[in-house]
Amino acid sequence: MPHLVILYTANLESEIDMTDMCQEMCKTLLAQHDDNGEQIFPTAGTRVLAYPAPHFAVADSQHNYGFIYLNLRMATGRSSELHEQVGQALLNRVKTLFDPLLQKQHVGITLQIDEGVEVFNARHSSIYPLFSPAA
């Protein structure tokens, strides 16, 4: 472990190089170190897998909305500070990879980290504002 599983709507296939994304996310996981400078995750046990959803409905299904869900499963025993560190590093990397696409298409991004019980949950989306009441 860790195992990062990425599920995404198939309409993102032509927009994002998922092989490259998997490699970038793997590098991000392996770049994480604790306060002693030790690598948090074992290189040999680190896995990143991505699967397209060929059939999907996002929001009101009226437009070509995209969605990507990332779920990181890790072994127990790490501090909440390390959960936050890893979560923010992954989220920042996903946002960087998706920023060009978010400029031209509405995409929702959800990242969750599980260690038995969910320990991190973040969302970054340009879809939610479309359905929020005007302020």
Side-chain angles (χ1 to χ4, degrees):
M1 279 223 192
H3 299 161
L4 178 63
V5 176
I6 303 168
L7 305 173
Y8 60 94
T9 54
N11 61 339
L12 300 180
E13 280 273 288
S14 63
E15 301 293 336
I16 299 290
D17 181 337
M18 288 298 172
T19 298
D20 180 60
M21 181 174 177
C22 288
Q23 293 168 348
E24 289 299 316
M25 300 309 284
C26 190
K27 289 177 192 174
T28 301
L29 286 168
L30 295 175
Q32 302 308 302
H33 292 80
D34 63 18
D35 290 338
N36 297 324
E38 298 292 322
Q39 186 173 312
I40 295 173
F41 301 115
T43 302
T46 301
R47 309 280 187 271
V48 180
L49 309 166
Y51 302 94
H55 311 285
F56 59 89
V58 178
D60 63 3
S61 301
Q62 299 301 305
H63 300 280
N64 194 33
Y65 304 130
F67 180 71
I68 183 167
Y69 172 74
L70 303 97
N71 180 255
L72 177 65
R73 181 83 174 148
M74 67 171 75
T76 60
R78 293 178 180 87
S79 69
S80 60
E81 292 81 18
L82 284 180
H83 297 148
E84 182 73 21
Q85 173 188 324
V86 171
Q88 288 301 328
L90 289 171
L91 182 62
N92 289 339
R93 189 67 192 122
V94 170
K95 287 167 60 174
T96 298
L97 292 169
F98 270 75
D99 187 57
L101 180 58
L102 287 167
Q103 301 303 314
K104 64 180 187 174
Q105 181 177 345
H106 297 289
V107 178
I109 300 170
T110 296
L111 167 66
Q112 292 180 328
I113 297 178
D114 294 327
E115 182 190 69
V117 176
E118 185 178 307
V119 296
F120 184 84
N121 186 354
R123 287 174 174 74
H124 178 73
S125 175
S126 58
I127 297 173
Y128 280 104
L130 295 173
F131 298 94
S132 298

